[in-house]
Amino acid sequence: MFGARLKDIRLSRKLKLKELAALTGIDVTLISRFERGDRMPTKNQLLLLSEQLGVSLAELKKEWLADKVVALLQYEPMAMEALQVAESRVEYLTSKKVHDAPQLSDELQAKLDRADDLRKRWRQAQPLGPSQLRRLHEFFDIEYTFESNRIEGNTLTLQETALVVNEGLTIGGKSMREHLEVINHSEAIGFVRDLVLGKEDLSRRVVMEIHRLILKEVDNENAGRHRKVPVRISGSDTELPQPYLLEKLMEDYFEYYELHSKRLHPIILSAEMHERLVSIHPFVDGNGRTSRLVMNLILMSRGYTRANIKGDTQSRLAYYRALQQVQKNANPDPFYHLVADEVIRSLEQHLELV
Ligand SMILES: Nc1ncnc2c1ncn2[C@@H]1O[C@H](COP(=O)(O)OP(=O)(O)OP(=O)(O)O)[C@@H](O)[C@H]1O
């Protein structure tokens, strides 16, 4: 217990109560109450006590926090269950170093610098004429829909995707679902573009709306709603959070964004928000497509062009492996590189066409 520990340390330092009070500036009766467990010090008082007693703040704080948890749970019949739930949340938050800025290698920093140079050139090329803009959109939107849906297993070719989106044609031998996936993804790109134009930032509403568009008519019951069942990612043994954790994890997700949106490089931020969303996996289906659109909303709203992660087998496996590196080894580096490479490639392609 905190009080007993505090008293032990004070006595081991051969200090009387009033001596510690004089050293810390904390009232003598208050310190006596701390030691009896009648009162708890504030964070500031904790710091003063640790400094004057020559004991690490972490050591004191551990006892202090444990007492707070006990005080909260001691008369609750569900105390042990609540602790288990809290434990997995805390594990998630600490493993992701939620509040730390990541360390970037020189190689990665060089890529970010290169992307920023290209972005500057892309900005200088603005504004584009309406017909040029339309051609660019047509070209890159179709390619993006094709690749993102290919990752998910959609079998329409690039040409077929273009025919469905541009001409409204139906492709013989392909399911209704595959057609809807193409149309929906294309609509979701339009939604993201409107957000960028209207300067609307990432938010819960935005994520839910992107997801709703992705699953519209394909699975209306789950479109724009969190899953209520446990899920697995096929071919991966990554443990995904139980449904009852989703609300809190999504709250943390948006809190992370708020805390980091102005601190991280936009490419790193977009990679983080992508990876975090797929690792929470809040939806029964469509998590990948939604997360890739979220990543692109972040990039586009900061003046970059879209990162288009490819759906061929080799690229898909590299993408999955990079995600797995974050989930299993808390190593985001390969995923940062992957996103940075795609942003650079995309900017180069856009610049070639203007
Ligand atoms: N360890 C992992 N291995 C593979 N995919 C992972 C992993 N962790 C997260 N994911 C993400 O999960 C997505 C698959 O989830 P889900 O099937 O819900 O999404 P989808 O949009 O329907 O499909 P897809 O993302 O394949 O297009 C992958 O695309 C990837 O973004």
Side-chain angles (χ1 to χ4, degrees):
M1 272 165 46
F2 175 79
R5 182 87 192 100
L6 180 65
K7 187 170 181 180
D8 277 354
I9 299 171
R10 177 177 62 80
L11 293 176
S12 73
R13 306 288 190 269
K14 303 199 179 348
L15 284 171
K16 298 203 168 75
L17 271 174
K18 58 176 187 222
E19 287 168 333
L20 183 57
L23 287 170
T24 57
I26 303 172
D27 191 82
V28 67
T29 50
L30 196 51
I31 298 183
S32 157
R33 283 180 169 184
F34 295 159
E35 291 189 351
R36 288 202 308 268
D38 295 342
R39 285 283 295 273
M40 288 291 268
T42 61
K43 276 188 192 164
N44 204 21
Q45 291 166 335
L46 203 61
L47 183 65
L48 288 170
L49 288 166
S50 81
E51 280 170 358
Q52 296 306 326
L53 288 169
V55 60
S56 82
L57 179 63
E59 191 186 330
L60 275 188
K61 202 165 182 184
K62 204 161 47 185
E63 292 286 346
W64 181 77
L65 284 170
D67 272 15
K68 284 194 170 230
V69 174
V70 172
L72 189 71
L73 293 178
Q74 60 189 338
Y75 301 118
E76 293 288 345
M78 304 284 286
M80 288 313 288
E81 285 93 330
L83 266 181
Q84 274 167 7
V85 174
E87 191 181 353
S88 64
R89 281 184 199 165
V90 169
E91 209 170 68
Y92 169 81
L93 290 169
T94 48
S95 75
K96 295 295 186 121
K97 296 192 169 56
V98 167
H99 299 290
D100 290 348
Q103 287 290 322
L104 307 181
S105 66
D106 291 349
E107 194 193 346
L108 182 59
Q109 190 57 56
K111 283 187 186 175
L112 300 181
D113 294 345
R114 163 107 184 108
D116 288 344
D117 274 352
L118 292 166
R119 170 180 169 272
K120 204 191 277 170
R121 282 175 49 203
W122 174 241
R123 288 215 140 169
Q124 283 160 357
Q126 313 293 322
L128 303 176
S131 68
Q132 201 175 23
L133 208 56
R134 195 163 359 96
R135 259 191 316 113
L136 277 182
H137 284 168
E138 264 174 30
F139 180 76
F140 287 110
D141 287 4
I142 299 292
E143 199 196 23
Y144 178 32
T145 291
F146 164 66
E147 296 291 359
S148 196
N149 280 1
R150 187 149 72 127
I151 295 180
E152 168 263 327
N154 190 300
T155 64
L156 265 74
T157 63
L158 179 63
Q159 244 175 359
E160 289 168 343
T161 304
L163 287 174
V164 172
V165 175
N166 295 339
E167 319 277 336
L169 290 181
T170 310
I171 310 297
K174 304 287 171 172
S175 69
M176 180 67 166
R177 183 191 174 111
E178 291 199 298
H179 284 81
L180 284 170
E181 284 172 353
V182 165
I183 295 162
N184 286 354
H185 193 270
S186 176
E187 203 178 317
I189 295 177
F191 173 67
V192 168
R193 182 170 302 118
D194 288 345
L195 293 173
V196 175
L197 288 175
K199 299 195 187 318
E200 183 168 343
D201 205 0
L202 181 69
S203 65
R204 181 183 295 270
R205 181 196 91 80
V206 163
V207 171
M208 294 319 244
E209 183 57 14
I210 293 176
H211 184 257
R212 192 189 68 76
L213 291 170
I214 289 292
L215 283 204
K216 197 175 68 171
E217 304 301 329
V218 174
D219 181 356
N220 282 334
E221 208 181 307
N222 287 304
R225 294 204 183 100
H226 286 169
R227 61 182 160 87
K228 299 198 168 47
V229 291
V231 284
R232 296 203 69 88
I233 301 167
S234 61
S236 150
D237 58 357
T238 297
E239 293 271 342
L240 296 168
Q242 291 295 320
Y244 63 85
L245 293 175
L246 294 177
E247 271 307 312
K248 176 70 172 87
L249 291 177
M250 289 305 284
E251 236 174 68
D252 298 340
Y253 177 79
F254 293 109
E255 189 187 322
Y256 176 91
Y257 182 71
E258 227 170 84
L259 276 169
H260 291 83
S261 68
K262 294 199 173 58
R263 281 198 228 157
L264 294 183
H265 186 283
I267 294 178
I268 301 300
L269 180 70
S270 74
E272 280 287 340
M273 298 315 287
H274 177 164
E275 179 276 313
R276 281 165 192 271
L277 194 58
V278 276
S279 298
I280 296 173
H281 228 77
F283 308 112
V284 212
D285 193 16
N287 295 279
R289 282 162 290 172
T290 303
S291 307
R292 293 189 285 275
L293 284 157
V294 162
M295 166 182 74
N296 281 318
L297 167 63
I298 294 171
L299 289 170
M300 288 160 69
S301 62
R302 287 153 177 86
Y304 298 83
T305 55
R306 266 189 316 244
N308 187 8
I309 297 172
K310 303 286 181 296
D312 60 278
T313 313
Q314 208 184 343
S315 313
R316 207 173 60 216
L317 289 178
Y319 171 48
Y320 293 164
R321 266 198 303 271
L323 287 172
Q324 201 110 338
Q325 276 293 315
V326 193
Q327 295 155 349
K328 297 259 175 238
N329 304 327
N331 174 15
D333 217 44
F335 195 59
Y336 291 164
H337 275 275
L338 189 145
V339 175
D341 287 339
E342 290 302 342
V343 173
I344 290 173
R345 179 168 28 194
S346 166
L347 281 162
E348 284 171 345
Q349 284 179 337
H350 278 72
L351 282 165
E352 267 169 34
L353 289 178
V354 293

